[in-house]
Amino acid sequence: MQARRQQNSGVHGVVATLIKVPRKLERAIDVALGPALQNVVVDREEDAKGMIEYLKANRLGRATFLPLSSVKGRTLDAQERRLLSMPGCLGLASELIEYQPQYQGVAQNLLGRTVVAQDLNAGIEIMRAGRHAFRLVTLEGDVMNPGGSMTGGSLQSRMTSLLSREREVGEHQEKLAQIEAELEAAQREMAQLEGERVSLKQERAELFDRLHQQDIACTRAEAHLAAAQGELNAHASQAQRVQEAVAQLNAQLGQVEQSLQDTQGQEEGEDEQRAQRQARI
């Protein structure tokens, strides 16, 4: 099919890849479709004819094809649809799955007259009311066929179930997309953090340079302070010497003033004596 698809042969894919089944209904739809899950959907009868000739020529086995141009859907009539409201009835199988509108004929052809029931007890009542005119399948995989025959029992776990595999592939793709989105977000965050780290590194280098300049300035200031302290000490010593000289000069000035006063007293005495002598004269 992959080889023919590459030649634009009108192949859409196998039924299992063209429908989407809720997890709860996988077993029921798997049993209801059976080998039909691997039927190949094509555009026209001519495409199916070319595929069959291709299989014959290359001895690749047999396959069932569903041309969209010729496959007709079948469904319940109005009276039969009333049974879908009975207790334990989940609905019509073709209406419980998802597919693109162009595959409606295929879905109704395969599942349009298949009812899904909760269990066999509900299925028996539904089939009796419908006079066994359609097929019914339960969630556990038991089948009640038109005409009254029943198929059931234990089902072996089939690891190669196409429905579960397609669902798991879809889930894994969603998880992969989520992981890729998270990875992309983490990469963006890492790039942002890297930018911040580079900026912080540059800022740290600038701060270290400023700190170095401050250390140099501090060393110079300490040297200036030591020099100023030396000059201050020298000025303090010189001031002390000046103060001592001023004190000495003040003492000498006091002595001079005292001598001046004594001299003035002597002069006054002499003046008085002179006046007395002058008076005697």
Side-chain angles (χ1 to χ4, degrees):
M1 187 186 69
Q2 183 65 27
R4 297 296 291 177
R5 182 184 298 175
Q6 295 175 358
Q7 301 176 15
N8 298 321
S9 59
V11 175
H12 290 253
V14 297
V15 172
T17 64
L18 302 178
I19 63 175
K20 185 177 181 180
V21 181
R23 182 191 294 261
K24 178 182 179 181
L25 302 177
E26 281 182 358
R27 175 175 293 185
I29 301 300
D30 191 10
V31 171
L33 289 176
L37 281 169
Q38 300 186 59
N39 290 356
V40 182
V41 178
V42 296
D43 283 327
R44 303 171 304 159
E45 294 96 323
E46 289 79 8
D47 298 322
K49 176 177 177 293
M51 294 280 290
I52 291 173
E53 291 176 352
Y54 179 83
L55 292 176
K56 288 180 179 178
N58 293 275
R59 298 180 179 273
L60 294 177
R62 298 170 63 86
T64 300
F65 300 93
L66 302 175
L68 295 177
S69 60
S70 61
V71 171
K72 303 301 180 182
R74 300 175 302 160
T75 185
L76 302 181
D77 57 34
Q79 184 174 0
E80 291 172 334
R81 292 189 68 87
R82 297 177 182 176
L83 304 177
L84 299 179
S85 60
M86 291 185 62
C89 182
L90 300 181
L92 195 61
S94 61
E95 298 174 355
L96 297 175
I97 62 176
E98 297 179 10
Y99 48 83
Q100 296 182 9
Q102 60 182 325
Y103 304 127
Q104 181 177 0
V106 172
Q108 290 182 347
N109 178 272
L110 298 175
L111 298 172
R113 292 189 60 80
T114 299
V115 175
V116 181
Q118 186 73 31
D119 51 37
L120 267 181
N121 291 330
I124 290 173
E125 297 299 326
I126 295 170
M127 291 297 284
R128 282 177 179 174
R131 297 183 179 181
H132 301 88
F134 46 82
R135 185 173 57 165
L136 182 143
V137 61
T138 68
L139 294 180
E140 295 181 351
D142 302 315
V143 181
M144 301 185 69
N145 300 299
S149 64
M150 299 173 62
T151 302
S154 62
L155 283 174
Q156 295 182 354
S157 177
R158 293 193 295 172
M159 300 302 295
T160 58
S161 172
L162 293 179
L163 291 179
S164 61
R165 185 173 64 185
E166 289 299 320
R167 173 181 54 79
E168 291 173 358
V169 168
E171 291 176 352
H172 292 328
Q173 289 176 343
E174 292 178 358
K175 290 181 180 179
L176 179 60
Q178 180 180 359
I179 292 173
E180 289 177 346
E182 293 176 354
L183 176 61
E184 184 178 355
Q187 288 176 341
R188 288 196 302 268
E189 183 179 1
M190 184 175 67
Q192 181 180 356
L193 292 176
E194 180 64 20
E196 293 177 358
R197 187 185 71 84
V198 172
S199 177
L200 290 174
K201 185 177 180 180
Q202 182 178 359
E203 183 178 356
R204 185 184 66 174
E206 293 176 355
L207 290 175
F208 273 124
D209 183 64
R210 290 171 58 185
L211 180 61
H212 180 64
Q213 296 297 328
Q214 292 294 332
D215 287 339
I216 295 175
C218 184
T219 302
R220 291 177 180 174
E222 289 177 351
H224 292 161
L225 178 61
Q229 188 68 38
E231 293 179 0
L232 179 61
N233 293 336
H235 289 308
S237 299
Q238 185 177 359
Q240 185 177 1
R241 291 194 298 270
V242 169
Q243 289 177 355
E244 292 176 353
V246 169
Q248 186 177 2
L249 290 175
N250 287 334
Q252 292 177 359
L253 180 61
Q255 293 177 359
V256 170
E257 289 178 350
Q258 185 65 40
S259 298
L260 183 59
Q261 289 177 1
D262 293 343
T263 302
Q264 186 176 0
Q266 291 176 1
E267 288 180 354
E268 291 176 355
E270 291 176 356
D271 289 341
E272 184 178 357
Q273 290 176 5
R274 187 181 301 111
Q276 290 176 0
R277 285 194 299 270
Q278 187 67 34
R280 286 195 300 270
I281 293 171

